[in-house]
Amino acid sequence: MIELPILAEERVKKPSWLKVKLPTGENYRRVRKIVDQHKLHTICESGSCPNMGECWGAGTATFMILGNVCTRSCSFCAVATGKALG
Ligand code: SF4
């Protein structure tokens, strides 16, 4: 099957809710500093969550308390898969 190039006028503009803002701001930097300083694992980072700019910008992050791997292997999730500690 041959795919034809999409013409400019055929392109559909993506809805605004599909776009995420780049993580910036004082709150974001504060959360970033705490996470880095204490070498914390967050599902936000491990899962490559697209909401980081919004959540961290509001001063919220969600921690993974037993490491940064998960024993499951869900295809939609970016968290590394591995064996549990212990
Ligand atoms: S707290 Fe926000 S950025 Fe972190 S995983 Fe949940 S939705 Fe994503």
Side-chain angles (χ1 to χ4, degrees):
M1 182 177 183
I2 299 172
E3 288 192 31
L4 299 174
I6 298 172
L7 300 175
E9 56 271 5
E10 292 177 345
R11 289 189 190 135
V12 178
K13 191 173 181 181
K14 294 187 175 52
S16 60
W17 53 263
L18 191 59
K19 299 175 183 178
V20 293
K21 291 183 178 175
L22 285 174
T24 57
E26 183 60 33
N27 271 340
Y28 176 84
R29 285 191 295 276
R30 187 171 55 86
V31 173
R32 166 94 277 152
K33 185 177 176 184
I34 293 169
V35 168
D36 289 346
Q37 190 174 22
H38 298 286
K39 297 182 171 59
L40 301 171
H41 299 294
T42 65
I43 182 62
C44 317
E45 290 183 289
S46 297
S48 300
C49 183
N51 300 327
M52 273 182 65
E54 187 178 337
C55 293
W56 288 32
T60 302
T62 302
F63 302 104
M64 299 171 75
I65 58 173
L66 296 175
N68 65 345
V69 296
C70 180
T71 56
R72 300 179 180 211
S73 185
C74 305
S75 59
F76 56 84
C77 186
V79 175
T81 301
K83 290 186 176 180
L85 298 175

